[in-house]
């Protein structure tokens, strides 16, 4: 049986923020969320969160059935933190100890670590660093780990050791319950070090098996904004490489951000500075232009999204043409070959097959049939100041430029709306409708001038 303990009590003073450190964001999710998701993949019996600073904020976000939260009222060291959950651990479980500010730890690494634990052995995750300054050193005798010495407590010889402690370990609950009560704070920082259990294990004859991560960045923690930015780019670079391995063309992988999940079909092309949030799916042959933001949306095969578009909570079928500078707000649904042009905004709108809203228009709370042409400057007036109303437009309707369609209204198949019209009544099939005043000229009219101050 596996239980996971995640230490998440620290304030993170170097972040210079009122937000608890573990709740700061990496790829659109809190650091701690990344760790919890990795922990869940191991299928543990329970995930124990040790919280402290900002406990209310953390607990509110992680109020889930499989998560048990324990408050560390005083931060007296990592050993003290783990001790807070001792009474909640089952004796026959393996305990995996993780950190809420180390968000890039990988599932495969944790599986390898947990496999090292038995009744007479434990697992320790170490890493070799060219510059180990600040890290606890792994002390070995005849190849066997005998202790971890924190940097502040290490002597000159020990500080030459490049193998360091990551803090991540896996150990039986029985051993933790035996060793943690024996910890003392007789060290440079006056804290209860979790690492001191290594010497206890060695003295007792428990084998300390070690494993190293495939990448050193897996065990990099975040203590300041610079490290946060560094891990963000590592995360995005790894994701970009995965996408390219699967056939996606990224015109500049260094200028790509995914803050959720992105699923791509064959032969997709993504230009620079694009941001994907939530769950986004791109079909085959999709092209995304520069500076696009796509949120929780599905883009169909062979659709082109031109530069500077924002698409949110929308579904686009195949061969659509979007932008540039278009905004598709939640509830927009586009059928095959629909076109949304520059400076067009849609919301809660169904755009039929082959229909076009080419420029400078707003279409909200509307249903458009097939082969509709909406001229520049057209607005569906869907809000009366208190309630929203729907505009229904049939097939093959032509709407002239600078038209206001005052909802609720129904425009039937084949109708034509003359430019500059304000339409307040339903329009019948194949009708031509003009709703504008007769043009008049006034000779000698004087334009107003500014009054002198």
């Amino acid at each position: 049986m596996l239980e996971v303990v995640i230490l998440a009590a620290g304030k993170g003073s170097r972040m210079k923020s009122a937000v608890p450190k573990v709740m700061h964001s990496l790829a659109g999710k809190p650091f701690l969320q990344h760790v919890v998701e990795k922990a869940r993949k191991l299928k543990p019996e329970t995930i124990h969160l040790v919280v402290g600073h900002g406990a209310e904020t953390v607990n509110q976000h992680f109020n889930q059935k499989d998560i048990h939260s324990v408050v560390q009222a005083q931060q007296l060291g990592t050993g003290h933190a783990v001790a807070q959950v001792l009474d909640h651990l089952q004796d026959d479980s393996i305990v995996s100890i993780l950190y809420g500010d180390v968000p890039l730890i990988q599932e495969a690494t944790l599986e390898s670590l947990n496999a090292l634990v038995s009744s007479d052995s434990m697992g320790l995750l170490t890493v070799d660093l060219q510059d180990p300054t600040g890290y606890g050193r792994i002390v070995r005798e005849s190849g066997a780990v005998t202790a971890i010495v924190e940097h502040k407590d290490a002597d000159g010889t020990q500080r030459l050791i490049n193998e360091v402690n990551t803090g991540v370990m896996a150990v039986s609950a029985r051993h933790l319950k035996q060793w943690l009560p024996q910890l003392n704070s007789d060290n440079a920082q006056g804290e209860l070090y979790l690492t001191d259990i290594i010497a206890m294990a060695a003295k007792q004859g428990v084998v300390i098996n070690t494993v190293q991560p495939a990448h050193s960045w897996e065990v990099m923690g975040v203590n300041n904004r610079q490290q946060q930015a560094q891990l963000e780019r590592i995360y995005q670079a790894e994701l970009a490489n995965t996408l390219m391995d699967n056939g996606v063309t990224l015109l500049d992988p260094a200028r790509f951000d995914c803050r959720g999940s992105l699923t791509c079909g064959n032969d997709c092309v993504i230009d620079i500075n694009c941001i994907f949030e939530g769950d986004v799916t791109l079909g085959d042959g999709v092209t995304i232009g520069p500076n696009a933001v796509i949120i929780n949306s599905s883009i169909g095969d062979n659709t082109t999204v031109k530069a500077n578009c924002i698409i949110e909570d929308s579904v686009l079928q195949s061969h659509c043409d979007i932008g540039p500078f278009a905004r598709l707000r939640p509830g927009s649904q586009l059928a095959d070959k629909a076109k949304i042009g520059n400076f067009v905004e849609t919301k809660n709108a169904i755009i039929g097959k082959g229909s076009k809203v080419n420029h400078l228009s707003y279409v909200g709370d509307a249903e458009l049939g097939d082969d509709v042409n909406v001229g520049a400057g057209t607005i569906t007036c869907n809000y009366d100041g208190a309630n929203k109303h729907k505009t229904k437009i049939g097939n093959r309707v032509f709407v002239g430029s600078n038209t206001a369609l005052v909802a609720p209204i129904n425009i039937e198949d084949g109708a034509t709306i003359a430019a500059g019209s304000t339409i307040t009544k339903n329009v019948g099939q194949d009708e031509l409708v003009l709703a504008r005043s007769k043009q008049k000229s006034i000779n000698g009219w004087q334009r107003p001038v500014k009054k002198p101050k």
Side-chain angles (χ1 to χ4, degrees):
M1 179 191 305
L2 176 68
E3 296 185 74
V4 174
V5 176
I6 304 176
L7 306 188
K11 181 178 181 180
S13 57
R14 282 181 280 174
M15 297 295 286
K16 308 293 185 187
S17 172
V19 177
K21 180 169 69 167
V22 295
M23 295 303 293
H24 282 270
S25 178
L26 174 74
K29 292 186 293 191
F31 302 154
L32 183 54
Q33 182 70 43
H34 288 270
V35 183
V36 167
E37 288 177 2
K38 293 291 172 25
R40 282 190 174 127
K41 290 182 177 180
L42 303 174
K43 295 181 170 47
E45 183 75 15
T46 308
I47 297 173
H48 302 278
L49 288 188
V50 181
V51 298
H53 178 73
E56 185 177 345
T57 300
V58 176
N59 287 337
Q60 186 176 2
H61 187 92
F62 293 95
N63 184 23
Q64 286 113 30
K65 208 182 294 185
D66 63 334
I67 292 180
H68 168 243
S69 179
V70 177
V71 176
Q72 184 188 17
Q74 291 180 287
Q75 278 74 64
L76 302 178
T78 51
H80 179 257
V82 178
Q84 306 310 299
V85 302
L86 280 185
D87 292 340
H88 306 283
L89 298 175
Q90 300 185 50
D91 287 345
D92 58 348
S93 65
I94 294 172
V95 181
S96 181
I97 300 172
L98 310 178
Y99 295 81
D101 60 354
V102 182
L104 298 187
I105 191 76
Q106 297 297 297
E107 178 186 1
T109 298
L110 295 177
E111 287 176 340
S112 297
L113 180 67
N114 294 339
L116 301 177
V117 183
S118 68
S119 59
D120 58 359
S121 67
M122 63 174 292
L124 180 65
L125 190 65
T126 72
V127 66
D128 294 328
L129 297 178
Q130 287 186 340
D131 180 7
T133 303
Y135 289 87
R137 306 308 203 275
I138 304 299
V139 178
R140 293 178 182 267
E141 292 182 11
S142 301
V145 177
T146 57
I148 297 175
V149 180
E150 296 298 327
H151 179 85
K152 291 182 179 180
D153 300 299
D155 59 31
T157 301
Q158 291 167 337
R159 290 189 178 189
L160 296 177
I161 298 171
N162 291 93
E163 186 184 13
V164 303
N165 174 44
T166 68
V168 177
M169 62 178 69
V171 59
S172 74
R174 291 183 191 278
H175 284 140
L176 279 179
K177 290 181 178 184
Q178 177 186 354
W179 297 332
L180 288 180
Q182 300 179 44
L183 294 177
N184 65 70
S185 58
D186 184 18
N187 51 61
Q189 292 183 241
E191 294 183 349
L192 299 178
Y193 292 156
L194 177 63
T195 50
D196 285 350
I197 71 171
I198 300 300
M200 297 178 188
K203 185 177 181 181
Q204 193 173 316
V206 174
V207 177
I208 302 151
N209 295 313
T210 62
V211 66
Q212 295 210 348
H215 310 279
S216 62
W217 46 255
E218 290 186 44
V219 293
M220 290 173 63
V222 180
N223 293 301
N224 55 44
R225 302 291 186 172
Q226 290 85 348
Q227 291 173 340
Q228 181 182 10
Q230 184 182 6
L231 287 195
E232 181 74 43
R233 293 328 311 162
I234 291 171
Y235 179 93
Q236 298 298 342
E238 288 297 307
L239 186 54
N241 285 331
T242 299
L243 288 170
M244 290 188 290
D245 285 342
N246 291 327
V248 177
T249 297
L250 299 177
L251 296 189
D252 186 349
R255 289 183 284 176
F256 161 85
D257 283 271
C258 180
R259 300 165 189 172
S261 66
L262 175 60
T263 303
C264 298
N266 295 324
D267 301 312
C268 291
V269 178
I270 299 173
D271 211 326
I272 63 170
N273 299 331
C274 291
I275 297 174
F276 301 89
E277 297 184 4
D279 296 322
V280 176
T281 301
L282 307 183
D284 295 338
V286 172
T287 299
I288 308 294
N291 310 312
V293 179
I294 302 178
I295 306 167
N296 290 321
S297 295
S298 175
I299 313 295
D301 295 348
N302 300 302
T303 289
T304 297
V305 178
K306 297 185 176 74
N308 302 294
C309 291
I310 300 174
I311 301 174
E312 181 178 3
D313 291 312
S314 298
V315 176
L316 286 61
Q317 300 300 325
S318 65
H319 296 88
C320 293
D321 191 337
I322 312 299
F325 292 98
R327 185 184 181 195
L328 276 57
R329 294 170 62 194
S332 297
Q333 300 178 48
L334 277 59
D336 295 343
K337 299 183 180 179
K339 182 175 182 181
I340 303 296
N342 51 290
F343 302 103
V344 170
E345 179 180 340
T346 65
K347 182 180 185 294
N348 195 26
I350 297 173
I351 311 297
K353 184 176 181 179
S355 292
K356 300 177 181 179
V357 188
N358 275 325
H359 20 244
L360 301 161
S361 296
Y362 170 71
V363 178
D365 293 297
E367 294 180 8
L368 279 62
D370 299 340
D371 299 314
V372 173
N373 188 89
V374 177
T378 295
I379 297 174
T380 58
C381 306
N382 57 329
Y383 184 54
D384 63 8
N387 300 294
K388 296 287 184 71
H389 302 281
K390 180 165 284 188
T391 298
K392 292 185 178 181
I393 300 175
N395 300 324
R396 304 180 311 283
V397 170
F398 181 93
V399 181
S401 298
N402 197 32
T403 294
L405 304 174
V406 183
I409 197 168
N410 183 39
I411 300 170
E412 296 187 10
D413 294 352
T416 300
I417 312 297
S421 296
T422 297
I423 306 300
T424 59
K425 297 179 181 179
N426 292 341
V427 178
Q429 184 172 342
D430 296 321
E431 287 183 351
L432 168 64
V433 177
L434 298 88
R436 58 195 185 205
S437 63
K438 184 177 180 180
Q439 183 170 320
K440 296 181 180 180
S441 297
I442 301 175
N443 293 323
W445 179 75
Q446 295 295 315
R447 180 181 296 174
V449 296
K450 287 185 179 181
K451 295 179 180 180
K453 293 182 179 180

